[in-house]
Structures are given as C-alpha cells and as structure tokens.
C-alpha cells in the first residue's frame, strides 16, 4: 500500500514542515522487484548509500537482505554502525586519498579503485594479498543529464579503457587478485541496452584478466519522476545478462557473478518532501507560490533541472492554476515553473514526490536554516528518524573568537 494523503498530513501535523517522509514498504517492494527480475542470474545488490544514509533506512535495507555500496569511508562506518557485516559492504572510491583505501581494507570490506595512481599504491602495499575491484571508464554516454552521466569519454570517473595496457601491467607485475570489473555509466538510464553495451565490454575485458569473477554494473536504473515515465525494463536486462553470461561460460568455463548498486531505484519513490506554502504572490506574468523550503532542502530541480511531481495535500480538488513554486533562500530556487496545480493558498501543505534519493542527503543549512526532520512510515506507524535541527545544532561546531 503506498503512503496515503492522510498519513502525510498526519506526519506534517505531528512533526511540522519542512519534513522528509519515507515509506519502508516502498523500499521493500522495489528490492523484491530486483530480486525477482534477476532470479535467473547469480546477482548481488548493493544499495548505493549515497542516495540516503539515515541509519534507520540503512537498517531497513539490511533487514530486507540487501548489501550496501559506500562512496566514502564515513559511509562505510555508517554501514557498519547500521549492522552490515564487512562482507556485505562495498566501498567504491573516486578521487580519494589513499589513506581512505587503507582504512577500508583494514575494515575488511570490498574495495573498488578508480585510478591507476591509487591502484599502484594498493599494489605496492598489498600485492596479491587482498582482492580488489577496478572501476573502468567505458566511454559510453548514458544517463538523464550530463551531471549524472559518468561513463563518457570526458568523465573523471574510472580508469579510461584506453589505459588498459597500464592496468594489465600493474595486475601482472604484482599478481593482483583482480576480482571485480566495475562500471557505472550514469543515473536514470531508461534504456536497458546501455547496460548491455557495458556488459559486452566488461566480458571482453574479463577474458584478459583470469582472476575476475564479478562484473559490477553500478547503479542507474531509472525510476519514473514524471507521471508518464517508465522504469528501466529489468526483465529485458536480466535476460540479456543471462544470455551474455551463459555464452561467456560456454566459451571460457568461467561462471561470473553480477553486482548492481541501485540508489534511486530503491529509495527515490519512497520519499516525499512536505512543505508549507508561506507566500502567494500573483504578478502580471505568473503566480509565485513561496514555500518554507528551498534548494537547501531539495536541490535536484535547481542543480540539474530535475522534475518532482507536486501535490497540494490541503486542497487536492481546488481549481487548477499555473504556479511558479519557489523556495525561500537567497537564490532563484524554483522547484517548478508554470506548473498546473490545484489552487495553492497560504498555509497549504504540499508534497514533492519521488524525493527519497539525493534529497535530504544533499541538504544543507544554507541561509542558517535548519535541515528538515525525517520520518519513516513502517507498518502504518510514524517513526521520527531525525529530529529537526536547532540553533544549538547550527552553532555546535563553531568556535567564536573575540
Ligand atoms: N554506484 C555508483 C558508483 C554511483 O556513482 C552511483 C550514483 O552516483 C550509484 C551507484 C547509484 O546511482 P543511482 O542512484 O542512479 O542508482
């Protein structure tokens, strides 16, 4: 059962706005879709924690049987704190100081390295004693927009495939236990054939590295943000992977495992940002609806023109009008421009949908405003999983000198 309007209204009445609300059931349903679709292949899923790291969310992810992918050493520590054992934790580093990799190895988690420079240091430190993964840059253009496209020929991410000779030399000289070949080409990949292109490339490379037993295709499954959008066709993808892996096994005698790192797919649709309309300002061109939130709480619309569906929870049957829904920080922070919505009035409660991924996680206290509180709905119960910040929190780390 999706979250109801009544539950969202109750959450706002209990904890105030701005407020992030997440639905545990939605996360479970999305995970089950993945498990079902890929039941024909040997597949592991690592939730991309960067999408949303609240400990209660991480515990839920663990409880439903999913592993976890971390993009910083602190995310690794959060995962451990949430109860994940090291064998369920993957650390995918990008442009990190080698000291983070040392720490990740000391914690016993799986590590993926994305530069020859760090791989060289790894080889000199550990040689063949610790299994390792490498992230490659496949030069594939994919993803919803250029900021979330990470595998193209100009991208900072991964070891460019044209540097393969350098990689081979390092692996052979140090007899590295190269276990995983990884790519993550982007986010919001609607077309399953993009993943298939990546699979073909990695399988070709796997023939050159005999220790490889895992192909990691990263995250990037699309979820519908606009009502007319569709999810990535998981069945089409799993069939293509099954076929490619069976062929590979026939030709080489090696059976590979596939890993995915879904972020948005698991938590985007589970989340809502609730806000209150603070000011209605009609002008000659458009009617502005100012809300008690802004780019400091949900930056995706301003950062990369992301669309978030908006509903007016207080006046759902009101007459439709065009609104520029805008935030209250000192930048132009429009959530939506010329959006047709049921009449918005000062005091109305509105919900930004599909806000679970990269919503709270990218929030800040810009303009000295508090970050929103967070609530998790589980089996019909509202659980406060992060209290609202206070003036004391804003000042907690400051050292005031005369
Ligand atoms: N894996 C890696 C290495 C990433 O960089 C990201 C996103 O930035 C993800 C997984 C998750 O992507 P998504 O949330 O689109 O599934």
């Amino acid at each position: 059962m999706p979250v109801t309007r009544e539950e969202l209204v109750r959450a706002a009445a209990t904890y105030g706005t701005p407020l992030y609300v997440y639905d545990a059931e939605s996360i479970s349903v999305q995970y089950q879709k993945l498990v079902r679709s890929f039941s024909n292949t040997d597949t592991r899923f690592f939730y991309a924690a960067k999408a949303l790291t609240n400990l209660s969310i991480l515990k839920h992810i663990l409880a439903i049987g999913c592993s976890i992918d971390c993009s910083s050493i602190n995310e690794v520590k959060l995962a451990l704190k949430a109860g994940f054992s090291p064998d369920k934790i993957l650390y995918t580093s990008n442009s990190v100081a080698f000291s983070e990799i040392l720490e990740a190895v000391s914690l016993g988690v799986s590590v993926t390295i994305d530069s020859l420079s760090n791989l060289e240091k790894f080889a000199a430190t550990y040689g063949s004693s610790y299994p390792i993964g490498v992230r490659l840059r496949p030069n594939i253009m994919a993803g919803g927009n250029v900021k979330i496209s990470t595998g193209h020929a100009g991208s900072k991410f991964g070891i460019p495939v044209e540097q393969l000779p350098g990689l081979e030399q390092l692996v052979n000289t140090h007899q590295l236990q190269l276990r995983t070949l990884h790519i993550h080409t982007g986010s919001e990949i609607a077309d399953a054939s993009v993943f298939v292109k990546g699979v073909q490339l990695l399988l070709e490379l796997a023939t050159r590295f005999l220790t490889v037993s895992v192909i990691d295709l990263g995250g990037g499954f699309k979820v519908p943000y606009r009502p007319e959008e569709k999810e990535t066709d998981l069945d089409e993808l799993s069939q293509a992977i099954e076929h490619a892996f069976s062929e590979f096994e026939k030709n080489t005698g090696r059976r590979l495992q596939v890993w995915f790192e879904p972020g948005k797919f698991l938590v985007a649709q589970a989340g809502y940002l609730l806000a209150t309309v603070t000011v209605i300002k009609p002008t000659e061109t458009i009617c502005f609806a100012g809300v008690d939130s802004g780019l400091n709480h949900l930056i995706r619309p301003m950062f990369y023109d992301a669309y978030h569906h908006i509903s007016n929870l207080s006046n759902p049957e009101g007459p439709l009008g065009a609104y520029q829904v805008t935030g209250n920080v000192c930048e132009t922070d429009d959530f939506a421009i010329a959006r047709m919505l049921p009449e918005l009035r000062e005091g109305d409660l509105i919900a930004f949908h599909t806000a679970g991924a990269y919503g709270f996680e990218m929030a800040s206290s810009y303009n000295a405003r508090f970050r929103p509180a967070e609530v998790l709905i589980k089996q019909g119960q509202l659980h406060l999983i992060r209290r609202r910040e206070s003036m004391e929190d804003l000042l907690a780390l400051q050292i005031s000198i005369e």
Side-chain angles (χ1 to χ4, degrees), residues 132-380:
I132 191 70
V134 292
R135 177 173 184 170
L136 295 157
R137 193 189 73 190
N139 300 345
I140 295 174
M141 184 52 100
N145 66 62
V146 80
K147 284 211 177 66
I148 55 174
S149 178
T150 51
H152 60 84
S155 165
K156 69 164 181 169
F157 296 97
I159 300 169
V161 280
E162 45 295 0
Q163 292 176 13
L164 209 63
L167 175 62
E168 273 182 313
Q169 199 197 353
L170 261 179
V171 170
N172 294 335
T173 308
H174 295 270
Q175 297 290 296
L176 296 184
Q177 268 191 71
L178 180 59
R179 181 175 63 185
T180 305
L181 292 178
H182 170 284
I183 54 170
H184 168 79
T185 55
S187 197
E188 297 181 37
I189 302 171
D191 181 2
S193 70
V194 171
F195 287 98
V196 177
K197 240 199 250 173
V199 170
Q200 283 157 352
L201 173 77
L202 292 186
L203 290 182
E204 210 177 293
L205 296 185
T207 59
R208 294 160 73 164
F209 298 104
L210 298 181
T211 52
V212 167
S213 59
V214 176
I215 296 294
D216 182 345
L217 297 173
F221 297 137
K222 172 139 189 68
V223 295
Y225 279 87
R226 293 173 188 268
E228 70 278 12
E229 287 178 347
K230 296 242 176 325
E231 281 179 2
T232 313
D233 188 336
L234 297 179
D235 291 337
E236 180 192 340
L237 178 57
S238 74
Q239 280 161 24
I241 289 179
E242 214 282 307
H243 177 70
F245 276 45
S246 300
E247 286 297 303
F248 182 86
E249 190 175 0
K250 244 191 263 162
N251 296 334
T252 64
R254 289 159 65 195
R255 181 131 195 88
L256 302 178
Q257 196 172 56
V258 62
W259 290 3
F260 286 107
E261 303 156 1
K264 282 179 184 153
F265 192 82
L266 289 175
V267 299
Q269 293 161 103
Y272 302 80
L273 172 62
L274 304 183
T276 302
V277 178
T278 42
V279 170
I280 293 292
K281 188 187 286 183
T283 69
E284 334 53 81
T285 48
I286 191 79
C287 184
F288 290 97
V291 302
D292 63 349
S293 185
L295 64 77
N296 48 337
H297 298 157
L298 179 61
I299 201 173
R300 298 187 72 256
M302 306 85 187
F303 190 25
Y304 29 62
D305 290 331
Y307 176 97
H308 285 274
H309 194 66
I310 300 174
S311 49
N312 182 348
L313 300 176
S314 303
N315 189 23
E317 306 300 333
L320 287 180
Y323 293 92
Q324 190 145 336
V325 181
T326 188
N328 61 2
V329 302
C330 294
E331 253 76 26
T332 298
D333 57 342
D334 296 321
F335 289 105
I337 295 171
R339 183 77 62 87
M340 296 304 289
L341 292 169
E343 184 185 10
L344 292 174
R345 305 157 307 185
E346 291 182 3
D348 277 358
L349 177 66
I350 65 168
F352 297 97
H353 295 234
T354 330
Y358 313 102
F360 182 89
E361 213 51 37
M362 287 189 175
S364 73
S365 53
Y366 182 50
N367 277 190
R369 292 199 182 276
F370 306 139
R371 289 183 300 170
E374 294 177 287
V375 164
L376 178 63
I377 302 183
K378 218 169 178 173
Q379 286 152 1

Side-chain angles (χ1 to χ4, degrees), residues 35-167:
V35 170
R36 244 193 338 268
S37 293
F38 288 90
S39 57
N40 57 349
T41 47
D42 185 5
T43 309
R44 283 185 74 185
F45 299 99
F46 296 78
Y47 164 60
K50 73 191 78 169
L52 178 61
T53 55
N54 186 292
L55 271 187
S56 300
I57 299 289
L58 300 189
K59 285 181 182 168
H60 182 69
I61 297 273
L62 174 64
I64 60 179
C66 192
S67 297
I68 189 162
D69 171 45
C70 301
S71 59
S72 72
I73 198 68
N74 288 345
E75 281 185 5
V76 170
K77 290 173 188 172
L78 284 177
L80 289 167
K81 191 157 177 58
F84 287 88
S85 51
D87 61 308
K88 290 194 158 163
I89 301 176
L90 170 61
Y91 168 60
T92 309
S93 65
N94 128 60
S95 301
V96 300
F98 186 63
S99 55
E100 274 208 19
I101 292 170
L102 287 174
E103 205 174 346
V105 170
S106 77
L107 293 170
V109 306
S110 297
V111 175
T112 297
I113 287 182
D114 95 322
S115 67
L116 285 181
S117 162
N118 268 337
L119 192 64
E120 242 172 68
K121 293 172 198 151
F122 177 91
T125 313
Y126 300 106
S128 62
S129 67
Y130 200 86
I132 191 70
V134 292
R135 177 173 184 170
L136 295 157
R137 193 189 73 190
N139 300 345
I140 295 174
M141 184 52 100
N145 66 62
V146 80
K147 284 211 177 66
I148 55 174
S149 178
T150 51
H152 60 84
S155 165
K156 69 164 181 169
F157 296 97
I159 300 169
V161 280
E162 45 295 0
Q163 292 176 13
L164 209 63
L167 175 62

